[in-house]
């Protein structure tokens, strides 16, 4: 079973892996990687085989409002993954740069909404700024737009907010800042209610299986497909854009490439032994790399999570090598594990003679 903690005190997401009686935590780090943007002709493209329509991103990353500062966002706009300077890099509205608007409205702000048909408290919003940057690209192409001045018709519906399928856009939500405010609120609201806590968000609840329509004009995919919502972030994204292709596939692709993270899913372990005093066992755990970054031995490790699993509990020996880097870290067997592949962690525990009898 895999569970994502939101963030630790340093703002880092951590992957918690529960294995029978042992709790292990995989270390997470941030990395800077190169970007590549695929090009192909319309109607002939094959989606990335790593795409999982049931789990578009991890909850902890989606809601990580502290992942980027306003300066980080500005740097991203100055030099985008497309190799250009975004037209938003020089854009400002109401005395705030586009980067500042995105920063303010993904972490909560004291500014009340000034337009629209309803009211809400924007200070409740907690969203990764990258989710906004990705949405600006998938909706209106404003990240890749190299224009010195952003086209006004794209700015006024920058997030596609208030523009339902098959209908015109609601002019009361026009304007870049308004689009960011209401788009961020909607994504955050969708995330919160995807746990089934509000019937208004039905049927985009975790565990529900939905049949969604696809656009087939770019990727070679079926016109409809079934999706089982794997977590709150996925439910929230489908409620915002109820299609796997192209909308949420593009969200997954850009978010994964531009803001890579370390994430994993449990695959298997070699056994669930009952050990006697003094007896040793070589545990072998297999995890799938579900993030966008290649794992490197010595960077991606397992670590003990709870005091009961640490010395002076079980002894970290019994075989050679023991698998332990130190008393609370286990080294990965493989030198590298690319996204979509499995990594192995092999380590020994010995039950000390002084331990009280028990399971």
């Amino acid at each position: 079973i895999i569970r994502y903690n939101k963030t630790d005190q340093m703002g880092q997401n951590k992957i918690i892996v529960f294995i029978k009686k042992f709790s292990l935590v995989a270390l997470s780090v941030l990395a800077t990687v190169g970007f590549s943007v695929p090009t192909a002709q319309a109607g002939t493209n094959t989606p990335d085989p790593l795409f999982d329509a049931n789990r578009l991103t991890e909850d902890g990353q989606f809601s990580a409002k502290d992942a980027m500062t306003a300066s980080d966002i500005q740097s991203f706009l100055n030099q985008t993954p497309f190799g250009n300077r975004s037209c938003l890099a020089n854009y400002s509205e109401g005395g705030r740069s586009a980067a500042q608007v995105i920063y303010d409205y993904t972490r909560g702000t004291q500014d009340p909404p000034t337009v629209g048909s309803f009211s809400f408290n924007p200070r409740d919003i907690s969203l990764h700024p990258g989710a906004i940057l990705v949405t600006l690209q998938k909706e209106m192409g404003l990240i890749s737009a190299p224009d010195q001045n952003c086209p006004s018709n794209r700015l006024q519906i920058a997030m596609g907010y208030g523009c339902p399928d098959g209908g015109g856009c609601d002019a009361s939500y026009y304007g870049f800042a308004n689009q960011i405010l209401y788009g961020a609120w909607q994504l955050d609201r969708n995330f919160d209610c995807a746990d089934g806590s509000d019937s208004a968000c039905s049927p985009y609840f975790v565990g529900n299986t939905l049949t969604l329509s696809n656009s087939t004009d770019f990727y070679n995919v079926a016109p409809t497909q079934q999706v089982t919502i794997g977590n709150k972030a996925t439910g929230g994204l489908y409620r915002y854009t109820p299609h796997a292709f192209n909308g949420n596939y593009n969200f997954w692709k850009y978010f994964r490439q531009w803001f890579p993270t370390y994430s994993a899913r449990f695959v298997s372990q070699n056994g669930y032994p009952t050990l006697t005093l003094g007896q040793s066992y070589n545990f072998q755990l297999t995890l799938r790399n579900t993030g966008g970054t290649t794992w490197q031995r010595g960077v991606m490790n397992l670590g003990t999570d709870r005091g009961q699993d640490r010395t002076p509990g079980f002894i970290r020996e019994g075989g050679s090598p023991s698998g332990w880097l130190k008393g609370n870290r286990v080294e990965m067997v493989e030198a590298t594990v690319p996204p979509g592949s499995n990594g192995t962690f092999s380590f020994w525990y010995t039950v000390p003679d002084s331990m009280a009898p028990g399971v």
Side-chain angles (χ1 to χ4, degrees):
I1 302 171
I2 306 297
R3 170 171 72 81
Y4 239 116
N5 278 357
K6 252 190 174 181
T7 55
D8 63 14
Q9 292 180 346
M10 297 300 292
Q12 303 289 322
N13 291 327
K14 288 192 173 182
I15 309 161
I16 308 299
V17 185
F18 292 99
I19 313 162
K20 193 74 172 181
K21 284 289 184 181
F22 308 116
S23 299
L24 303 176
V25 58
L27 301 181
S28 70
V29 298
L30 298 178
T32 301
V33 299
F35 303 106
S36 61
V37 180
T39 58
Q41 295 182 351
T44 62
N45 300 292
T46 300
D48 189 321
L50 294 179
F51 176 58
D52 182 356
N54 302 322
R55 199 177 188 95
L56 300 172
T57 188
E58 299 300 329
D59 288 350
Q61 186 188 21
F62 188 76
S63 59
K65 67 180 181 181
D66 295 322
M68 301 176 76
T69 66
S71 178
D72 292 333
I73 299 169
Q74 184 63 54
S75 296
F76 180 91
L77 297 174
N78 289 342
Q79 181 64 47
T80 79
F82 297 101
N84 68 295
R85 179 179 171 85
S86 168
C87 70
L88 291 173
N90 292 326
Y91 181 78
S92 64
E93 185 176 308
R96 289 185 298 172
S97 65
Q100 190 66 51
V101 169
I102 294 169
Y103 179 78
D104 289 344
Y105 288 158
T106 51
R107 62 185 296 102
T109 173
Q110 298 182 31
D111 296 340
T114 57
V115 298
S117 58
F118 59 92
S119 62
F120 61 90
N121 184 1
R123 300 178 79 174
D124 293 337
I125 298 173
S126 179
L127 195 67
H128 193 307
I132 298 297
L133 294 167
V134 168
T135 304
L136 289 170
Q137 177 61 27
K138 83 176 183 69
E139 293 291 339
M140 290 293 134
L142 287 171
I143 304 303
S144 60
D147 315 50
Q148 193 67 24
N149 297 305
C150 292
S152 59
N153 62 330
R154 286 197 261 172
L155 282 173
Q156 69 182 7
I157 53 172
M159 294 281 289
Y161 188 87
C163 298
D165 288 351
C169 296
D170 187 339
S172 63
Y173 299 110
Y174 282 179
F176 179 78
N178 284 328
Q179 284 283 302
I180 301 302
L181 173 61
Y182 282 96
W185 171 83
Q186 189 69 68
L187 287 168
D188 184 78
R189 155 109 173 109
N190 293 352
F191 174 88
D192 288 341
C193 68
D195 60 2
S197 58
D198 189 338
S199 60
C201 297
S202 178
Y204 299 97
F205 294 155
V206 175
N208 280 358
T209 298
L210 310 177
T211 299
L212 303 176
S213 62
N214 286 328
S215 170
T216 60
D217 59 350
F218 190 81
Y219 293 103
N220 182 24
V221 295
T224 63
Q225 74 178 86
Q226 284 195 328
V227 169
T228 299
I229 297 174
N231 62 358
K232 291 166 61 177
T234 301
L237 287 166
Y238 279 123
R239 188 167 187 253
Y240 196 94
T241 304
H243 313 286
F245 294 92
N246 293 344
N248 280 304
Y249 174 79
N250 286 343
F251 185 98
W252 169 86
K253 178 178 67 175
Y254 292 136
F255 203 42
R256 183 170 173 271
Q257 289 177 348
W258 299 354
F259 311 104
T261 59
Y262 288 83
S263 61
R265 290 187 202 167
F266 175 78
V267 176
S268 64
Q269 71 180 77
N270 63 330
Y272 298 84
T274 298
L275 305 179
T276 60
L277 299 182
Q279 189 175 2
S280 300
Y281 189 78
N282 181 202
F283 291 93
Q284 295 183 25
L285 171 69
T286 302
L287 297 176
R288 175 69 54 86
N289 180 354
T290 57
T293 307
T294 296
W295 295 350
Q296 305 285 340
R297 183 191 297 149
V299 175
M300 185 65 173
N301 303 309
L302 290 181
T304 57
D305 179 47
R306 297 184 294 179
Q308 69 193 55
D309 301 330
R310 301 176 184 155
T311 306
F314 296 98
I315 301 171
R316 279 86 165 119
E317 58 187 43
S320 181
S322 68
W324 294 88
L325 286 171
K326 49 186 177 180
N328 63 351
R329 290 291 182 269
V330 176
E331 189 173 43
M332 188 171 68
V333 173
E334 295 84 2
T336 60
V337 176
S341 296
N342 293 339
T344 309
F345 299 86
S346 177
F347 56 99
W348 286 84
Y349 267 135
T350 298
V351 183
D353 291 333
S354 59
M355 180 171 282
V359 178

